[in-house]
Amino acid sequence: MRLTAIGGSVLMVVLGAAVAPASAQEVFTFDASKVAQSLVVPPAATPEFLFQVRRGTAKPAATDERKLGVGLRTGGFGFGIGASLRSWFQSPWGFQVGLSHYGYVGYSSTQFTPAVLYEFAPLQVDAPLSIRPFVGGGLSIIQSSYPGFANFSFADTTDTNVLILGGVEMFFPQVPKLGVSGELEFTPSNNPYAGVGSVGGPGFVALAHWYFK
């Protein structure tokens, strides 16, 4: 009887030792795949714009949509004010037509400036704006009048000469249709009347164009 009890105790100890490792393994076993999945950072969603570019359906950049603009200009070889039309009909090529009036004591001048433009790649700036430099060349036609000599043949005179210009055009994201420009213009000067200031020469022009398309 006593031997049976001892044998039973030994059997229980053996069974307990056999079962314990399995239980401990179950307690400390975890699913490593789930942990790995939780640590993996999901890939960022690819912007729809990239898919549009690949499919060829993305809209062109805003600067490519600015084809025709009209606006004002001020400055020039003197203090003039007038109107301007600018078109980037086939980037990087464009054309510009300006009309300015200069008023002086005793006589006045009106300048007509058609020119062909060429724009360069935008400048990289750390600011919320786009800056595009350009150069151009064309004609400067200046018609001058001197009311004091109205009865003389030289009361009205017209001077036609070359025009060279260069400048930058700036666009702001808040008003994408508005282009603000500053340019230097030069046309050889001419003195239409003895004793009166000349017309032409270098000058700075400030322009603003509103682009309709």
Side-chain angles (χ1 to χ4, degrees):
M1 190 75 176
R2 188 173 181 181
L3 292 174
T4 304
I6 293 173
S9 300
V10 172
L11 180 60
M12 293 297 294
V13 172
V14 173
L15 291 176
V19 173
S23 301
Q25 184 178 5
E26 292 177 359
V27 171
F28 293 101
T29 298
F30 62 94
D31 192 346
S33 62
K34 293 183 178 179
V35 176
Q37 291 177 359
S38 65
L39 296 177
V40 174
V41 179
T46 303
E48 179 62 22
F49 177 76
L50 296 181
F51 290 111
Q52 292 178 350
V53 171
R54 292 167 186 168
R55 294 195 299 263
T57 59
K59 293 180 64 178
T63 53
D64 294 334
E65 296 178 348
R66 302 183 182 110
K67 296 296 185 182
L68 179 65
V70 296
L72 301 175
R73 55 176 280 148
T74 181
F77 63 84
F79 183 73
I81 188 169
S84 176
L85 181 147
R86 179 180 290 169
S87 173
W88 298 106
F89 60 90
Q90 185 64 49
S91 183
W93 295 100
F95 72 88
Q96 175 176 286
V97 177
L99 183 66
S100 297
H101 180 75
Y102 303 85
Y104 300 91
V105 177
Y107 81 101
S108 63
S109 298
T110 299
Q111 185 183 28
F112 179 64
T113 53
V116 176
L117 306 178
Y118 180 88
E119 66 174 350
F120 299 96
L123 299 177
Q124 299 298 323
V125 295
D126 187 15
L129 56 87
S130 171
I131 301 179
R132 286 182 174 266
F134 62 88
V135 294
L139 294 176
S140 171
I141 303 172
I142 303 176
Q143 196 276 329
S144 303
S145 62
Y146 199 168
F149 291 131
N151 297 326
F152 295 87
S153 59
F154 57 83
D156 296 326
T157 183
T158 301
D159 177 54
T160 302
N161 230 315
V162 298
L163 172 72
I164 302 172
L165 61 89
V168 294
E169 186 170 28
M170 298 177 289
F171 295 97
F172 302 90
Q174 296 83 355
V175 280
K177 291 184 176 294
L178 176 64
V180 180
S181 307
E183 64 183 45
L184 292 175
E185 294 184 352
F186 175 78
T187 185
S189 60
N190 177 53
N191 190 340
Y193 308 108
V196 180
S198 62
V199 296
F204 175 78
V205 182
L207 307 96
H209 293 93
W210 185 265
Y211 286 84
F212 292 94
K213 64 177 183 176

